[in-house]
Amino acid sequence: MTISARYLLTDSRQISSPADSVFFAIRGPHHDGHTFIPELYRKGVREFVIEEAPFQTQAFPKAQFHVVPNAIHALQEIAAEHRRAFSIPVIGITGSNGKTIVKEWLAQLLSPDFVICRSPKSYNSQLGVPLSVWSLDAHHTLGIFEAGISQPGEMARLETVIQPTIGIFTNIGTAHDEAFQDRRQKIREKLELFRHVKTFVYCLDFTEITAELPDFLPADCQILGWSKTEAWHPFTTQSNISQAWWENLNHCIALLRHFRISEDEIQRRIYALRPVSMRLELKEGINDCYLIDDSYNNDLAGLKMALDFLSNQHERPHKVVILSDLLQSGVNESELYTQIAQLLKDKGVNQLIGIGEALQRNQMAFALPAKFFESTEAFLAKYRTSDFSDSVVLVKGARTFHFEDIIRKLSLRTHGTILEVNLDALSHNLNYFREKIGRQTKIMVMVKAFAYGSGIEEVANLLQFHRVDYLAVAYPDEGVRLRKAGIQLPILILNTSPENFQQVLDYQLEPEIYSPRHWQEFVDFLGDRQLSTSVHIKVDTGMHRLGFEEKHLDWLTDQISQHPEIRIASIFSHLAAADEAEHDAFTHQQIARYTFMADRITAVLPYQPIRHLANSPGLARFPEARFDMIRLGKGLYGTAVLPEDQENLKTVGTLKTVISQIKEVPKTETVGYGRRGVLSRDSRIATIAIGYADGFDRKFSRGTGKVLIHGQLCPIVGNICMDMSMVDVTDVDCSEGDEVIIFGDYPSIRDLASWSGTIPYEILTNVGERVSRVFYREGN
Ligand SMILES: *Cc1c(COP(=O)(O)O)cnc(C)c1O
């Protein structure tokens, strides 16, 4: 198969040059790519790779279709074919950890010697690898690609795409991987990447890897093994340098030596290494703006990704990009900026601030409203606070332009305490549940209570991007907030009343209706307005909170028949104790009552309303309670009832603060209000910038709570104050200004909940709105 388009498109949301893109319709666990073909055709895509199955190609007369057995395999074959056209060295990296860091460091360390093509962020999957390899072009002199697998058989496919000439096996982790029988199988599977390499780098101390090498490496392969016992180390005092850091660095050094770079030069380049951050941060800025702070290298691949992220932020209508010159070697300058201008246009950017001499030279290429400055200083000298309002602003610059000065000016001032929300973890958790329930079951996500404390607009925006079926909130004002933030998904409102029915209708929100009185109020409100509206009928099956009871069913079905203009979008109920095995008989009874009541109501309707009953514990423990849709709440935010689910979920929120002051306090003194902080020894006491007004519960006082500083748990001393707390750091090497973790991976919200005798959600929803949320993506 030969394709004619220049851009490979696997995600319909990332479209930028439709006429020059070929779309691969992939069938995955959550989506079937074929369903996006009509939309893409309308946008101008004319080339498609589709899978063998009935598909009405006649509906798209101007399109060209390639029919293949498997679209991912076709994508891989096309990339493999592309790769074969280049006879440059290509480094293939795999291992349990460190792949991305080693790749990024090598790209920095070897940049004086090569024009490098590398995978953006951690594009290392069955899809990511072919997309990365596709970006190889004639001016590159070295490729660096990472490969990650989750199933047996996958690595052999990635090997044919990357065709590495140099291999790096970073390490083998202890984590148990369900898909593999054991570690040995996992190692052998990863070694498939190195079937044809001429040079191979690894750490000799992994004897399990050594044992398998003869079966995989070609006989003439040069093995560059290094051992931790004699590895070169750039520092003499190394107490705080982690094992992983050291390991990653030594892989790089082995390869630099292989390229005959002198020891002095290696040393010089290592000292010049910059930290690798692939983070893309979204946070609140001045004048109701959102800022996207992207500290990733400013190359074309990184810019594309940041623009994708920008174009999918609907919280504000206006999109601004502050961009520095791109430091992309080996490309024709005017061609590069023409391409960037096109990208900005395709991604719907409304305004550009270009900073740097190259951008200034090429300003004619940009058709959108734009201003150009020769330097960051020149921009800041002219800048006024009022220049930006009600916009999403992407700030993306190469490091030498020190755009952190711009970020500082545009950020809302915050008081040291932030809740970091990992958007990739949210996506991961959502996809985990999607896979678990299968494509036939819809998902409603509960974003009530500020999305369980995580930030309602931003979380909803991500959920819209992932095309969940429904959102639900507790009150109409939350729904209005979502609509104002550009959310178009259907939204169920759990609590409504006559005072806000107008708001509900104005913003196309869908109320839960839970009792005869409530129904009547709604009908009275509608009067003779002839509106057709959607409502959701809540029935009580044992929670005894809100809901129609069985005795209301005759009345209700009668009313529903009389009011065909009121559309019953769904019928639902709520489980009271799905997480407690001792109440399983009761839960089964609830499921039976629900089925009975839903059947009764559906019987008077000419259509089938959506049925839903299960919350997070319900969907996990009672598959039969999933019906047509599940209502996902705490599971999305990383908390599960089943251990096997918990293992697979990622931590979404990390609450952090800083040490404001440290003092030495003799044991004869006390700490804090009421002199409750009694000391058993002379102590170092750190005051941290978080108190009960931020959501750090007073129950954590006097040692009940602990916070993490430099990897060590430190107990709270005395009583938690409104805005501050004191902790014992006698045994920790720390300084003022250092980071303090309140919760995150460790300690987790489950740990905090068990210390203070509450449930994890309360820990999350307690985090005050004055704590600023920073949303970030690591990229994948
Ligand atoms: C909050 C809520 C949920 C979600 O519950 P989780 O246990 O967090 O998954 C589901 N349904 C209703 C009616 C709710 O109020």
Side-chain angles (χ1 to χ4, degrees), residues 446 448 452 494 538 545 572 574 615-617 631-634 761:
M446 312 307 288
K448 61 193 181 191
Y452 289 50
L494 298 172
K538 173 78 154 293
R545 196 168 60 179
F572 74 113
H574 197 41
N615 54 356
S616 303
R631 296 192 304 275
L632 186 60
K634 66 176 164 198
Y761 323 79

Side-chain angles (χ1 to χ4, degrees), residues 1-12 14-18 20-24 26 45 47 49 71-72 74-80 82 123 127-135 161 304 308:
M1 175 175 70
T2 41
I3 54 161
S4 29
R6 204 147 66 114
Y7 302 104
L8 309 183
L9 186 63
T10 56
D11 182 333
S12 62
Q14 290 174 355
I15 183 164
S16 50
S17 302
D20 210 5
S21 296
V22 48
F23 179 67
F24 289 77
I26 292 162
V45 179
E47 194 172 4
V49 175
I72 295 187
L75 175 71
Q76 292 168 342
E77 281 152 27
I78 286 167
H82 180 72
Y123 260 48
L127 271 181
V129 166
L131 294 177
S132 303
V133 168
W134 184 253
S135 61
V161 179
K304 265 187 200 154
D308 271 337

